[in-house]
Amino acid sequence: MAVTGGQDDPFRDPSLAPQQHSQPGTAANVPDTLAVGRDASLTLGTDSLVATRSIPFYNVLWAEHSENGDVTIQYAHAVSAKVVRPAMVSYKLDKPDSRLAEAWIEKLLDRAYGASQRQKRMKVLLNPFGGQGGAVTMYHKSIAPILAAARCTLDVETTQHQGHGVDIAQSLDIEAYDVVACCSGDGIPHEVWNGLGKRPDAARALAKVAVAQLPCGSGNALSLNFNGSDSPSLAALAVVKGLRTPLDLASVTQGDRRTLSFLSQAVGIVAETDLATEHLRWMGSARFTWGFLVRLLSQTIYPADIAVKTVHDNKPAVREAYRAEASKPAPTSDSRPVPAADTALPHLKYGTINDPLPDTWELIPHDQLGNFYCGNIAYMSPDANFFSASLPSDGCLDLVRIRGDIARMTAIKMLMAVENHTFFDMDGVDYQKIEAYRIIPKNQESGYISIDGERVPFDGFQVEVHKGLGTVLSKSGHLCEARGV
C-alpha cells in the first residue's frame, strides 16, 4: 500500500502533529473558552475554533483585542474547494479583562500557527509575463488579501525582464526578509535560487531565505509540491502557515556555466514535450499531454551516453528509503545550522562536465533512450506525480529512464499510469535514486534539454546534488504534498 506524503484536504492543519509545542509565552492555564456576550462563547476545540460557526485553526489568519473590548478574528473562508477569501468575525467580551483576552488570543494563535512563523516578512516578486499574463490580477484578487489579513509584511516588486529575479536575489538584504514569494510559474523561483547562489554568502542566503511560489504561471510545480495546490488563494494560505523545510538543490555544469536546479532535468520526450510546445501556452497544462502523445506515437529515440552515481539502484530499495522518511514525525523546527556569512556554494566533489569522468563512474551507451528524466520533487504538473518516491531533502535525485522503442500501447499505458499513481511499479520504468550523473547526447544534430523547464544548449552536462542547500515552506516540514510509494 502506498504511503501518502501529503493529503487531499487543502485545509489540513500542518500544526496538529502531537509533537509540536507551544511557542514561548503561551500560558498553559489559559482557559479554552472565552465568554463573549451573555449567551455566547469562543471555544478552542480539537482542530477548530468554535463560535457561531466552526473555523479550522488552519484557516485562522489573525486575532486581536481592540481598545473598545472587542475580540476580532480574521480567517480564510472557504468559498469553494479551490478558493478561500479573507473574512472577519468580531465579538464583544462579556466581562472586559484585557489580560485574559490577550492570553486567550495568544493561545488561539499558537494553535493556529503551531511551529510556523507568524507575520512573515515577504519579498513578493510579481511576474506580469508568466503563464497567460494574469499574474497581476491574480495577486491583487486572490493572494494579497490573504497575506494582508495574516499581518505579513509585504515588499512587492514587479519583474521587468527575463533574469530580473536573479538580479533581485543577488542583491537582496537577507536579514530583512524571511521569504521570497514568487507570483509566477516555476521560472522565477529558478531565477531566485540562482541569484542567491551567485552571492559570496550563497550558502547562508539559501539557508536563511525560504523561496515560495504563489502560482500564477502555466507551470506551478513548486506550489503543487509544497502548498498542495495550484490555486492562488489556497497557496497563499499555505505559505502563511508554511513550515521552513530544507530542500536539496542540484548543481548543473555545462560548458563553463554552473547553475542551480530545484525541479528537474530532462533529455528526450519530456524535454521536447515541454520546450517544443511553448507556442501552445494558451492550452495551459494540457499542452504537455498533447505534446507527449504526439511524440510518443512516433516512437522517437534520443541516443546518449550516461554515467550515474547511484544511491538506491532498485525499486524495493527506493520504496524502503521513502517509507523510512515518511514514517518520521514532522519536525518542529529547521535544525540546520546557519552557515557563516562568507560561505559560498558547496565544492563540487565530482567535478564539472569538463573534468575527467570520476574513476568509479562508467559511461554506458543508451542507444534506444526514449526518456531521461531526473526529478527533485514529486509533481511536475497537476496530474503528473512523476517522481512519487522523491523526498525534499534526502540528498538524492530520482531518475527515470525509459526506452524509446517500447510498444506504443505500453507507452500510452505509462502516460495513464502517471495520473493513476501506478507508474512507479510498471515494468519498463527504470527508477533509481542517485546523487550525481553525466549525460552526453549523441547521433543528433540538435534537440532539447530542459533544466527546471528552461531550455539550455543541446550539449553534454553533469549534475550533482547538494543535500538541504535550499529552503522552502511546506505543510509537513519534510515531505511533498504527493502520494508516495
Side-chain angles (χ1 to χ4, degrees):
M1 185 171 132
V3 177
T4 301
Q7 296 187 13
D8 293 332
D9 180 7
F11 304 112
R12 176 173 58 84
D13 185 348
S15 70
L16 289 181
Q19 80 285 354
Q20 293 184 348
H21 303 291
S22 298
Q23 295 177 356
T26 301
N29 59 351
V30 175
D32 287 339
T33 299
L34 184 68
V36 288
R38 185 170 299 176
D39 299 312
S41 62
L42 298 172
T43 300
L44 304 179
T46 303
D47 58 4
S48 61
L49 168 65
V50 181
T52 53
R53 72 203 72 187
S54 180
I55 304 172
F57 288 132
Y58 180 67
N59 289 46
V60 173
L61 299 170
W62 198 248
E64 57 192 9
H65 180 220
S66 62
E67 292 182 0
N68 66 5
D70 289 355
V71 171
T72 301
I73 298 165
Q74 292 185 280
Y75 66 100
H77 171 64
V79 177
S80 69
K82 293 277 288 182
V83 176
V84 292
R85 298 274 187 262
M88 182 173 66
V89 290
S90 187
Y91 302 91
K92 189 169 290 293
L93 292 179
D94 185 28
K95 297 179 181 179
D97 183 339
S98 61
R99 287 183 301 173
L100 176 61
E102 294 292 343
W104 185 89
I105 286 172
E106 176 61 28
K107 190 171 185 178
L108 167 62
L109 292 175
D110 183 60
R111 294 292 300 275
Y113 279 85
S116 177
Q117 178 189 355
R118 306 175 197 170
Q119 298 178 285
K120 295 178 176 72
R121 303 170 300 163
M122 296 189 184
K123 177 70 174 181
V124 179
L125 300 187
L126 184 56
N127 178 16
F129 312 108
Q132 299 176 26
V136 174
T137 299
M138 289 182 195
Y139 174 73
H140 290 293
K141 179 181 178 181
S142 302
I143 296 170
I146 297 289
L147 302 182
R151 302 299 191 270
C152 294
T153 302
L154 305 177
D155 176 9
V156 183
E157 185 169 353
T158 301
T159 58
Q160 303 296 324
H161 53 80
Q162 187 173 10
H164 195 192
V166 175
D167 300 337
I168 293 170
Q170 195 169 357
S171 61
L172 188 74
D173 180 359
I174 63 171
E175 304 302 329
Y177 303 100
D178 307 303
V179 185
V180 176
C182 306
C183 295
S184 66
D186 293 314
I188 299 298
H190 173 86
E191 290 187 6
V192 169
W193 269 308
N194 277 280
L196 296 175
K198 289 177 178 291
R199 301 165 59 106
D201 61 348
R204 183 180 181 86
L206 290 163
K208 280 183 65 67
V209 180
V211 178
Q213 184 181 50
L214 298 165
C216 298
S218 58
N220 300 304
L222 187 63
S223 183
L224 290 165
N225 281 285
F226 296 116
N227 300 329
S229 176
D230 58 0
S231 155
S233 61
L234 289 182
L237 176 58
V239 169
V240 163
K241 296 301 181 76
L243 304 171
R244 284 178 55 86
T245 304
L247 178 70
D248 296 340
L249 296 175
S251 283
V252 180
T253 60
Q254 187 183 54
D256 59 356
R257 294 188 63 204
R258 176 183 181 180
T259 58
L260 294 177
S261 169
F262 79 95
L263 180 60
S264 64
Q265 308 94 47
V267 180
I269 191 169
V270 169
E272 190 168 326
T273 295
D274 184 7
L275 300 173
T277 59
E278 286 287 322
H279 63 292
L280 300 176
R281 278 187 176 270
W282 57 270
M283 294 178 66
S285 60
R287 73 182 173 95
F288 301 109
T289 303
W290 168 256
F292 194 90
L293 283 172
V294 168
R295 287 154 183 81
L296 180 151
L297 293 174
S298 68
Q299 292 184 306
T300 307
I301 60 170
Y302 306 86
D305 292 334
I306 303 170
V308 177
K309 176 64 175 176
T310 306
V311 177
H312 301 297
D313 65 359
N314 60 83
K315 291 178 183 177
V318 169
R319 177 178 279 114
E320 182 180 353
Y322 176 86
R323 293 187 175 185
E325 178 62 30
S327 65
K328 295 178 182 178
T332 58
S333 64
D334 182 356
S335 61
R336 294 172 299 171
V338 178
D342 59 350
T343 310
L345 285 179
H347 172 71
L348 294 174
K349 62 181 180 179
Y350 297 113
T352 75
I353 185 66
N354 299 315
D355 293 318
L357 195 71
D359 292 339
T360 58
W361 295 20
E362 179 184 0
L363 273 175
I364 297 176
H366 288 61
D367 294 333
Q368 301 299 318
L369 182 67
N371 189 23
F372 180 96
Y373 203 10
C374 219
N376 191 37
I377 46 184
Y379 276 105
M380 297 294 112
S381 63
D383 297 318
N385 177 10
F386 211 98
F387 301 101
S388 52
S390 66
L391 294 163
S393 185
D394 62 349
C396 295
L397 292 169
D398 286 26
L399 172 61
V400 169
R401 284 174 288 190
I402 301 172
R403 290 176 64 92
D405 57 354
I406 58 175
R408 291 184 178 91
M409 284 306 301
T410 300
I412 291 173
K413 287 179 182 178
M414 285 184 177
L415 177 62
M416 301 294 291
V418 174
E419 296 187 17
N420 62 31
H421 305 292
T422 58
F423 177 76
F424 177 86
D425 288 310
M426 287 196 71
D427 292 337
V429 174
D430 181 8
Y431 196 117
Q432 299 180 333
K433 281 189 174 288
I434 67 172
E435 63 175 280
Y437 68 88
R438 179 179 293 188
I439 180 168
I440 303 174
K442 64 181 184 180
N443 303 333
Q444 304 163 79
E445 292 185 4
S446 62
Y448 294 91
I449 296 174
S450 170
I451 306 297
D452 292 356
E454 301 296 323
R455 188 175 185 178
V456 300
F458 191 67
D459 199 1
F461 63 95
Q462 184 162 307
V463 177
E464 177 180 320
V465 184
H466 309 294
K467 180 177 171 62
L469 178 62
T471 306
V472 292
L473 298 175
S474 75
K475 284 189 169 185
S476 72
H478 68 136
L479 298 171
C480 293
E481 292 298 305
R483 180 174 172 178
V485 297

